[in-house]
Amino acid sequence: MVELVNGDDVVTKANADELVQLIYSSAPTLLDFVFLGRLDAQAFIRNALLEPDGQYSAKRHKLAMQDGRIIGSISLWHSELPSRFQDATLASLQKYLRPNVALHVIKVNPFLVKLFPAPQDNELCFGHLAVDPQYQGIGVASKLLAFAIRQAKAMGKDKVVLDVHSENEAALPFYQKWDFLKVQSSIFVLTYESYWRMQKLL
């Protein structure tokens, strides 16, 4: 049976790699570019998810688990996130990145901010939605997305938004099935890749 749990309740050094692989799989091409390769990207995520807060912290993830194994993940962002969230994210970057990687992230960040607009007050944004390939097709992603929609309604939001690579042939039909519509298309000018902002009205 698949159950949803808070990331910081179950993630330890012993099982961290299960969540690392999920987060990485949600945007491998982009993460490789931002962190100058898979090894640095995964090493950073592994360290950051064990921190008490921040964008990659386990605390900020809802996890799907089955038989004691992490098989799915989702992270939620909104405009009311406390300042400690941003501070913790920056602290993780400074703490765990090699100097050349940190410099590259600093240079790339303004382009990422433009590419992925922060959620408005009436929006809940989700990311890092991923399911272990062995457990795909049994409704895990739907269970995680339904959780995000419930949270949005509970917070009084009237939209759920996401950003997805325009050529993600697995994700796009899934989101469209859930009545997400493309509202914007943007080019990441550093790699010439296209990303869609999609939204669902509640």
Side-chain angles (χ1 to χ4, degrees), residues 1-55:
M1 179 178 177
V2 177
E3 62 174 334
L4 299 187
V5 299
N6 296 324
D8 54 346
D9 288 339
V10 297
V11 175
T12 66
K13 287 185 178 180
N15 65 4
D17 274 338
E18 294 174 4
L19 182 52
V20 170
Q21 295 305 318
L22 289 170
I23 294 173
Y24 177 78
S25 72
S26 69
T29 303
L30 183 62
L31 288 169
D32 282 355
F33 178 81
V34 171
F35 294 104
L36 296 179
R38 177 179 59 84
L39 294 179
D40 277 294
Q42 293 186 355
F44 170 74
I45 295 169
R46 185 176 296 105
N47 287 311
L49 65 83
L50 294 172
E51 288 292 314
D53 207 345
Q55 180 176 344

Side-chain angles (χ1 to χ4, degrees), residues 19 30 32 36 39 49 57 62 64 85 105 111 140 160 178:
L19 182 52
L30 183 62
D32 282 355
L36 296 179
L39 294 179
L49 65 83
S57 170
K62 196 74 170 183
F85 170 82
V105 171
F111 297 95
V140 178
V160 179
W178 278 81

Side-chain angles (χ1 to χ4, degrees), residues 4-5 7 19 22-23 26 55 57-64 70-77 124-131 140-149 151 160-161 174-175:
L4 299 187
V5 299
L19 182 52
L22 289 170
I23 294 173
S26 69
Q55 180 176 344
S57 170
K59 175 182 179 178
R60 295 295 174 181
H61 289 77
K62 196 74 170 183
L63 306 180
I70 301 169
I71 64 170
S73 70
I74 195 169
S75 185
L76 309 179
W77 301 296
L124 182 69
C125 182
F126 73 85
H128 300 172
L129 177 58
V131 176
V140 178
S142 292
K143 195 164 188 173
L144 290 163
L145 184 50
F147 163 76
I149 292 171
Q151 289 297 106
V160 179
V161 299
F174 171 74
Y175 294 137

Side-chain angles (χ1 to χ4, degrees), residues 41 48 60 104 108 138 154 197:
R60 295 295 174 181
H104 181 71
V108 167
I138 62 171
R197 168 60 61 100

